Amino acid sequence: MIAVDKLCYRSKLRYVNAGEKFAYSMLTLLFCIMSRSFALSMVVLLINSILTVGKGGLPLHRYISLMAVPSAFLILSTLAIIVNISKIPLDGYALPVGAFFITGSKASVLFGLRLIVTAMAAVSCLYFLSLNTTMTDIMAVLGRLHCPRIILELMLLIYRYIFVLMETASAMLVSQKARLGHKDLKTSLRSFGSMGAALLIRAFQRSVSLYDAMESRCYDGRIRVLDEQHPAKPSEIALIILYELVLLVYTVWRRVA
Amino acid sequence: MSKKEKILLKASIAFALLFAVAPAVNAMHIMEGYLPASYCVAWGVICVPFLAAGFISLKKRLEENRKSITLIAVAGAFIFVISSLKIPSVLGSCSHMTGTGLGAILFGPSAVSILGIIVLLFQAVLLAHGGLTTLGANTFSMAVAGPLLSFSIYKLCSGLKVNRKVSVFLAACLGDIFTYCVTSIQLALAYPSEAGGAAASAVKFLGVFAPVQLPLAIIEGILTVVIVIGLESYARPELKAIGFLKEAK
């Protein structure tokens, strides 16, 4: 139902130490947005794609379609940055419309392109994490980073119930569709709303029985789960440190220069 | 056709095609890596007091009644699911609810701030809607500003004895529009326009996203009303348990 969640369980990098993957993607992400450099972003994008598709074994077409998910936002907001309406034409391009110009400077067009590449590289970092690490592993890392226990427990329960509720919701939507419940806008609004209400009622009922089930298994305000241990390989750590150092040096050099 | 007109025509065709392939228009999540690092940190810091308030109220609620943890958890899962489902829309493109307006009306803004950041984290990791670096900015617009406005409008309307359906509609719809305005301003502050500065830039961002967001806000309002009507007719005891309906005296 959620593609990323299914794919990450199939990744060949799934059993690599989660802390290692987390540190790698967070640091790379950080250097990406700190440097905002075209070259660095291209390298990061390339390496992450190789890691996820080549090493992780994700089909390339799935990767491309996943990378296209934020495209609507990317196109719209970059357009808003590089397109100006002004009385004075700027040096990049200018289309006269009445007394005004639809215009932009060369610098801003370049800036927009760089922004697109940076954002795509950042998205590839996010995907490296989410397509190769299961959500439970990420939560275990957050736990080691001293994220409050209540928040982690809520995350664990929410994560579990997302799938339960999604299954319920899609079953309700299918049966509504089978009864022509989505034949036009008006009926589909009514159907969607009644589905939402029914879903929330089911969710409330589930929450009561969930608590009873937890209580009968000696719940005392704390959910204890064992996480699998996959020790990090020293060679991988060394490679990651080397790579991040190169990115760090490049970022600092760009800032100074 | 002059050369310029041809270029314009081609550009508009390309633009339309891009929209045809763009898979989903989300409620306005700022995507991963789109904000400069300093803005990511700043918006995160602004969220901290709201999250702390949410955390404290959550803790108090759990100490009063440990049973409410599962209720709060399923509420969070509900917000995620309702915002990840495609909703019927006018334009034919698929769009999503934010669900935070409904959450704020039902569970109060403090619970929604914590649930919101968890849901946004899951949306970033599982659906690539939003991102980890932009989590602060997105949390402020979707889990703090929007729900706070929704909740105050709802309280104000019920104080003024406005019809409940009207007040729910206004709360959800205006909360959605407010979220979209806040996001536009966040983007504009990070990327002020060359001609006219941040204000002109805000107008541009508002304009670009308006065709998607305005119908979406109205649909979100309608859906929230339908959901609340459904809940009122079938789930009165549950609504009383979460404090949405007052106990009959």
Side-chain angles (χ1 to χ4, degrees), chain A residues 2 4-5 26 29 33-34 36 65-66 68-86 90 94-96 104-105 107-108 111 115 118-120 122-123 126-127 129-130 135 138-139 142 148 150-151 153-159 161-163 165-166 169 173 185 188-190 192-197 199-201 203-208 210-212 214-215 219-221, chain B residues 4 8 15 18-19 21-26 28-37 40 55 58-59 62 66-78 80-82 84-90 97 102 106-107 114-115 118-119 121-122 124-133 183 187 190-191 193-195 201 204-205 208-209 212 219 222-223 226-231 234-235 238-239 242:
Chain A
I2 296 174
V4 172
D5 191 71
M26 288 306 106
L29 186 58
I33 62 163
M34 293 271 280
R36 281 287 172 99
S65 62
L66 283 171
V69 166
S71 56
F73 177 85
L74 191 60
I75 293 161
L76 284 178
S77 24
T78 310
L79 268 182
I81 290 173
I82 63 176
V83 174
N84 290 298
I85 295 173
S86 141
L90 296 166
L95 289 171
S105 68
S108 82
F111 180 79
L115 190 58
T118 315
M120 288 319 280
V123 171
L126 176 65
Y127 272 136
L129 182 69
S130 61
M135 200 66 221
I138 297 177
M139 283 186 244
L142 287 179
I150 299 178
I151 305 285
E153 225 139 84
L154 265 184
M155 280 178 76
L156 190 70
L157 290 172
I158 289 176
Y159 178 65
Y161 271 79
I162 282 171
F163 295 94
L165 293 186
M166 256 195 169
L173 284 175
L185 184 67
S188 62
L189 282 178
R190 196 188 305 144
F192 192 90
S194 56
M195 188 277 294
L199 187 67
L200 193 58
I201 296 167
F204 284 156
Q205 289 165 350
R206 287 253 185 191
S207 81
V208 176
L210 170 68
Y211 192 84
D212 293 344
M214 281 174 14
E215 184 115 271
Y219 175 67
D220 59 350
Chain B
K4 228 172 224 169
L8 211 62
F15 189 67
L18 280 172
F19 269 95
V21 294
V25 183
N26 313 320
M28 296 261 285
H29 293 74
I30 300 178
M31 78 180 279
E32 182 71 283
Y34 209 78
L35 285 182
C40 297
F55 186 71
L58 183 73
K59 223 172 170 179
L62 289 183
R66 218 164 61 189
K67 249 182 154 163
S68 57
I69 185 158
T70 53
L71 185 76
I72 295 166
V74 293
F78 175 76
F80 180 94
V81 169
I82 208 82
S84 72
L85 290 171
K86 280 175 207 158
I87 55 169
S89 82
V90 206
M97 282 176 85
L102 180 66
L106 291 178
F107 309 108
I114 291 286
L115 288 182
I118 296 177
V119 167
L121 184 68
F122 281 142
V125 174
L126 298 175
L127 305 171
H129 293 177
L132 301 175
T133 55
T183 311
L187 286 168
Y191 300 109
S193 161
E194 300 171 292
S201 184
K204 283 195 290 178
F205 279 112
V208 164
F209 288 105
V212 182
I219 287 185
I222 296 171
L223 285 176
V226 179
I227 291 176
V228 169
I229 292 173
L231 287 175
Y234 300 117
E238 281 91 348
L239 288 181
I242 59 168

Side-chain angles (χ1 to χ4, degrees), chain B residues 38-70:
Chain B
S38 49
Y39 286 85
C40 297
V41 175
W43 286 112
V45 169
I46 291 174
C47 286
V48 167
F50 296 98
L51 290 173
F55 186 71
I56 291 165
S57 89
L58 183 73
K59 223 172 170 179
K60 223 177 90 194
R61 223 162 148 174
L62 289 183
E63 272 159 17
E64 276 166 18
N65 183 5
R66 218 164 61 189
K67 249 182 154 163
S68 57
I69 185 158
T70 53

